Amino acid sequence: MEQMAALALLGEQKRLIRMLDGEGSAKEEMCKAIDDLIEDGWMRGKAEGKAESILALLEELGNIPEGLSAKIKEQSDAKILTKWLKLAARAKDLEQFGQEMWECCG
């Protein structure tokens, strides 16, 4: 996930450099690029926070299988993560969570 974030930021950085070098429509493009960076960072942080919360809840139920942990960490859709967070809060064990997670949002 960190590599994807670094690549996205690198792409935006290159776009900003091109604009500063005169290859874009100056202020409007630069403002849009900055807004995009802020929005992307905010959404990524929000998703990472939800994933961490899910994992914290699941740790109370036992050792989280690596595949399950990876699936949760890779998810970037905040709506899906919210559903998984609710499932984790209600789960009686990891097996139940895993089954309901796959049924819900595979």
Side-chain angles (χ1 to χ4, degrees):
M1 205 179 306
E2 290 176 17
Q3 289 176 339
M4 290 173 49
L7 289 174
L9 289 173
L10 181 60
E12 289 301 316
Q13 180 183 27
K14 288 180 180 180
R15 190 168 97 173
L16 286 170
I17 289 169
R18 282 194 308 270
M19 283 184 263
L20 291 172
D21 288 341
E23 295 179 28
S25 62
K27 288 184 182 178
E28 292 86 21
E29 275 294 312
M30 191 176 303
C31 289
K32 173 74 171 115
I34 291 169
D35 287 346
D36 290 348
L37 279 171
I38 292 169
E39 177 70 17
D40 184 55
W42 183 81
M43 291 303 289
R44 185 172 328 217
K46 187 174 178 182
E48 289 174 3
K50 285 187 180 198
E52 288 175 15
S53 295
I54 293 166
L55 293 171
L57 286 170
L58 294 178
E59 284 174 352
E60 296 295 317
L61 301 175
N63 291 328
I64 304 167
E66 190 172 319
L68 180 60
S69 178
K71 177 82 172 168
I72 293 166
K73 289 176 184 176
E74 291 169 0
Q75 183 56 254
S76 60
D77 186 322
K79 290 181 182 180
I80 290 174
L81 287 165
T82 297
K83 289 178 184 179
W84 290 353
L85 182 61
K86 291 176 183 178
L87 290 174
R90 293 190 305 255
K92 292 181 181 22
D93 56 42
L94 289 168
E95 185 178 333
Q96 177 191 1
F97 172 80
Q99 184 178 15
E100 290 179 1
M101 182 187 92
W102 291 110
E103 289 173 2
C104 159
C105 314

